[in-house]
Amino acid sequence: MNEKREFREKKLKKWIEKYGDPYDSSFSITNSPGEIKENFDSLENQSVSSGGRILAFRKQGKLAFLDIGDITGRIQLFMRKNDLENFEDTELLDLGDIIFVQGKVMKTKVGEISIFVSSFSLVSKGRHELPDKMHGISDPETRQRKRWVDMAIGGDIAKDVVFISRFFQKAREYWQSEGFLEVFTPMLHQIPGGAYARPFKTHHNALDLPLYLRIAPELYLKKLLVGGCPKVFEIGRNFRNEGISKKHNPEFFGLEAYEAWGSFETMMSRSEEFIKFLAADLLENDSFEWMGKKISLKGKFNRLDFRQALIDEIGVDIDKMSTLKDYKNVFKKHNLSWSNSMTIGRSQDKLYGEFIESKIVNPTFVTGYPKAMSPLAKSIPGNKNWTQRFELVIAGCEVANAFGELHDPDEQSHRMKSQQDAKDSGDLEAQPIDDSYIEALEFGMPSAGGIGFGIERLLMMFLNKDSIRDVILFPMLKPKRDE
RNA sequence: GGGGGUUUAGCUCAGUCGGUAGAGCAGCGGGCUUUUAACCCGUGUGUCGGGGGUUCGAUUCCCUCAACCCCUACCA
């Protein structure tokens, strides 16, 4: 049936008859393909050993030019019959095989940096052929599902995987250098909290205990503030049982940081500094382009007041709207779809998303979120309807969310109760009461600022990717029946 | 959920106003001692996404299902 695979396996058999098992671990390389290219000046005429996947095969009579490579880069192999004892065994190699080579670093007549091969060995047979060398894998789903193939042939992901790794390294570096302690809090929660979201449910057998995959680490991190860690941060996955879209994957990385004696104002300068730090280091620039939009990180980030922005944009003052009916009328006026599951908080959010968020291009702190939308944020002194909160929006996309953390246990208890009420009356995303969190607050928590970043959102911006799937190595995919 | 598009060789795609199909790459055979999308000669790829209908005949027309893509809605 699969004739091509048979050819490959026949060649493997021949190799084994001649040289024995290629799946051996006695090979060790002195330089990766990329290193040889990068360090040609110091490696010229030196003997090296290297290895990688065969990505191109240009045979020319008694000469052979092969390209081998991995994510570090590609290097050409130059093989000449007169100088290579088992030259004819190149017949047993296929595109996609992984080979080990030894030889001297040189340049060919036309100047291509190469290894002049003195010996080579098969290390791992590619049983499958590689995709078209010019076009690669065109189907995005296959590209994501068989990420290793796309990576092996040098698809975008081969470069991006390095960028993503450096991004995490630099993100840690920023917060650590600012004196924040990196901590790790549970992913299995008995009470899911810290965000508006539906959780994944699981179960612990030995304890016969229902558990939830965390939707946010927030409450645990603030328990550490109670315990006396003044500056903490965590980079880790959150899990939300919601729809999948270009901006949403069921599991995604959050970076949350909390600072005692800070406020949402100090979190503003920290987030601004953080993003500028990342861009300066990773992009080596203070501006970038995302989906055709030019985004400048120069100067101070803009500020926009939630309520004032809605007044300016559509002439609606949400401070003067107290009933759901008021919102329904506004929705009607602007031809927005209304559903009966709407709450005041949701309506406000929808108006914001529709008229404010989508129009923002350069980084902007949107401040003054209504209390109905922010059960964990401190309200503004003198105005109980508004909270000490901001979202950092770039190119219409929420990148971070920060509060002056509510640390009054009585007030927090009230807010959680009204969330619980919403939950009881059918809001699947409302947060349940978490008594252990309230109790922690009762021990006393210093005033604090806290912030959470959506890491993939930032990665999308920095890598100019339209879809969150392009910045996750193995994004959530629907199961495939035939495989 | 709604609208549009795509699905043909291993890969990328062309094509048939209805008579079961083709190019490049990859493969196989041969040639070539400085190539790099190597080249030259020869060779063949196929449930034309699945199912049903119309028809003497369907890959082509119609219906339906599926997968993927785009837009839109929802999920902040």
Side-chain angles (χ1 to χ4, degrees):
Chain A
M1 173 88 188
N2 192 338
E3 200 189 10
K4 289 189 172 186
R5 183 169 178 146
E6 277 170 27
F7 279 121
R8 284 167 178 261
E9 284 178 357
K10 262 183 212 159
K11 291 178 188 174
L12 173 60
K13 221 171 184 180
K14 276 189 193 163
W15 183 277
I16 292 171
E17 279 164 14
K18 207 159 172 185
Y19 299 103
D21 184 11
Y23 292 96
D24 188 13
S25 52
S26 61
F27 306 104
S28 77
I29 65 167
T30 59
N31 301 88
S32 70
E35 279 167 8
I36 294 171
K37 239 183 188 160
E38 272 166 43
N39 304 306
F40 174 73
D41 290 344
S42 59
L43 288 172
E44 189 173 10
N45 289 320
Q46 302 291 307
S47 292
V48 294
S49 49
S50 190
R53 191 180 302 278
I54 301 175
L55 296 168
F57 206 140
R58 296 178 293 280
K59 212 165 173 198
Q60 194 186 310
K62 297 183 178 66
L63 292 181
F65 300 90
L66 283 73
D67 293 347
I68 62 166
D70 55 28
I71 64 163
T72 68
R74 279 167 89 131
I75 184 85
Q76 175 169 273
L77 306 181
F78 178 47
M79 298 177 171
R80 191 157 62 182
K81 187 166 182 169
N82 291 359
D83 303 280
L84 187 58
E85 209 180 314
N86 57 343
F87 181 82
E88 67 278 4
D89 290 330
T90 55
E91 297 290 347
L92 302 179
L93 300 179
D94 283 297
L95 285 170
D97 290 356
I98 297 193
I99 60 169
F100 170 79
V101 298
Q102 289 175 302
K104 277 195 173 159
V105 177
M106 48 87 76
K107 264 188 190 172
T108 58
K109 273 183 186 169
V110 295
E112 179 76 22
I113 297 170
S114 308
I115 302 174
F116 186 36
V117 175
S118 56
S119 76
F120 70 93
S121 180
L122 183 66
V123 176
S124 189
K125 186 71 187 171
R127 320 290 174 103
H128 298 273
E129 63 179 330
L130 297 177
D132 189 286
K133 67 181 173 188
M134 309 166 198
H135 305 93
I137 308 173
S138 69
D139 174 30
E141 196 206 326
T142 309
R143 213 184 300 134
Q144 288 153 11
R145 203 177 285 282
K146 301 192 180 178
R147 199 62 108 176
W148 62 90
V149 181
D150 193 32
M151 199 178 272
I153 60 169
D156 278 359
I157 194 68
K159 274 181 237 117
D160 295 344
V161 66
V162 177
F163 187 95
I164 292 167
S165 174
R166 284 192 59 215
F167 183 98
F168 277 87
Q169 184 193 329
K170 288 290 154 189
R172 288 205 160 85
E173 190 180 309
Y174 172 81
W175 294 96
Q176 284 173 350
S177 71
E178 293 292 316
F180 285 73
L181 194 68
E182 182 170 16
V183 295
F184 304 94
T185 66
M187 303 237 177
L188 295 173
H189 288 191
Q190 294 183 37
I191 299 170
Y196 265 124
R198 295 171 69 175
F200 286 94
K201 198 170 181 181
T202 183
H203 185 262
H204 188 278
N205 290 337
L207 295 176
D208 189 20
L209 183 68
L211 289 171
Y212 301 89
L213 302 189
R214 77 172 178 200
I215 55 174
E218 173 153 357
L219 301 184
Y220 276 102
L221 290 170
K222 286 194 278 196
K223 285 175 178 174
L224 295 175
L225 296 186
V226 171
C229 305
K231 291 170 158 186
V232 291
F233 78 102
E234 176 164 9
I235 297 176
R237 285 189 210 267
N238 300 328
F239 305 87
R240 298 189 184 174
N241 206 340
E242 296 168 344
I244 295 170
S245 80
K246 273 196 211 177
K247 286 183 182 172
H248 299 87
N249 194 62
E251 51 180 311
F252 63 97
F253 273 95
L255 187 163
E256 293 200 5
Y258 293 85
E259 181 172 17
W261 316 111
S263 65
F264 85 115
E265 297 271 354
T266 59
M267 283 302 153
M268 255 184 220
S269 35
R270 288 221 182 267
S271 57
E272 187 171 328
E273 220 178 274
F274 175 54
I275 286 174
K276 285 179 176 176
F277 170 84
L278 292 174
D281 198 285
L282 298 164
L283 303 175
E284 297 177 344
N285 210 330
D286 56 5
S287 66
F288 60 93
E289 205 174 303
W290 187 65
M291 297 299 114
K293 291 175 185 161
K294 288 205 172 72
I295 287 131
S296 166
L297 303 174
K298 292 185 189 88
K300 280 257 156 209
F301 289 179
N302 299 325
R303 279 191 183 210
L304 198 67
D305 181 74
F306 190 101
R307 175 185 159 218
Q308 193 59 46
L310 278 176
I311 294 173
D312 295 345
E313 200 63 40
I314 52 172
V316 169
D317 185 352
I318 58 176
D319 214 10
K320 291 182 180 141
M321 307 211 305
S322 50
T323 67
L324 257 183
K325 214 174 169 190
D326 295 335
Y327 285 95
K328 196 172 178 178
N329 290 336
V330 174
F331 271 56
K332 229 180 226 169
K333 193 175 152 195
H334 290 94
N335 285 324
L336 298 175
S337 62
W338 181 264
S339 83
N340 289 329
S341 64
M342 279 293 186
T343 60
I344 289 185
R346 268 168 200 290
S347 325
Q348 291 170 337
D349 190 44
K350 173 93 181 162
L351 290 178
Y352 161 71
E354 195 74 25
F355 296 107
I356 312 299
E357 188 181 56
S358 59
K359 290 176 183 160
I360 292 171
V361 178
N362 282 331
T364 301
F365 296 116
V366 180
T367 58
Y369 279 78
K371 195 159 93 177
M373 291 167 62
S374 324
L376 297 165
K378 226 183 253 183
S379 45
I380 290 171
N383 193 337
K384 293 290 172 198
N385 289 331
W386 307 95
T387 50
Q388 300 178 29
R389 172 181 178 187
F390 71 81
E391 283 193 1
L392 175 56
V393 177
I394 303 176
C397 197
E398 178 197 335
V399 162
N401 183 14
F403 308 146
E405 302 297 339
L406 177 56
H407 66 298
D408 172 352
D410 296 331
E411 171 71 8
Q412 184 65 78
S413 176
H414 283 131
R415 302 262 201 108
M416 278 189 166
K417 267 179 197 135
S418 61
Q419 281 287 308
Q420 183 70 56
D421 290 344
K423 195 177 179 64
D424 293 342
S425 57
D427 185 347
L428 294 167
E429 292 168 3
Q431 303 178 44
I433 294 176
D434 185 334
D435 288 323
S436 93
Y437 180 62
I438 302 287
E439 191 198 335
L441 290 186
E442 286 171 353
F443 275 86
M445 183 179 106
S447 66
I451 190 161
F453 292 89
I455 295 293
E456 282 86 358
R457 300 266 171 95
L458 281 170
L459 281 168
M460 284 166 70
M461 306 250 160
F462 279 19
L463 286 168
N464 196 15
K465 296 294 182 191
D466 188 26
S467 167
I468 196 166
R469 291 187 186 188
D470 289 330
V471 300
I472 296 175
L473 294 182
F474 297 101
M476 182 70 192
L477 296 167
K478 275 194 270 184
K480 202 153 193 170
R481 263 196 246 136
D482 13 319
E483 281 184 279

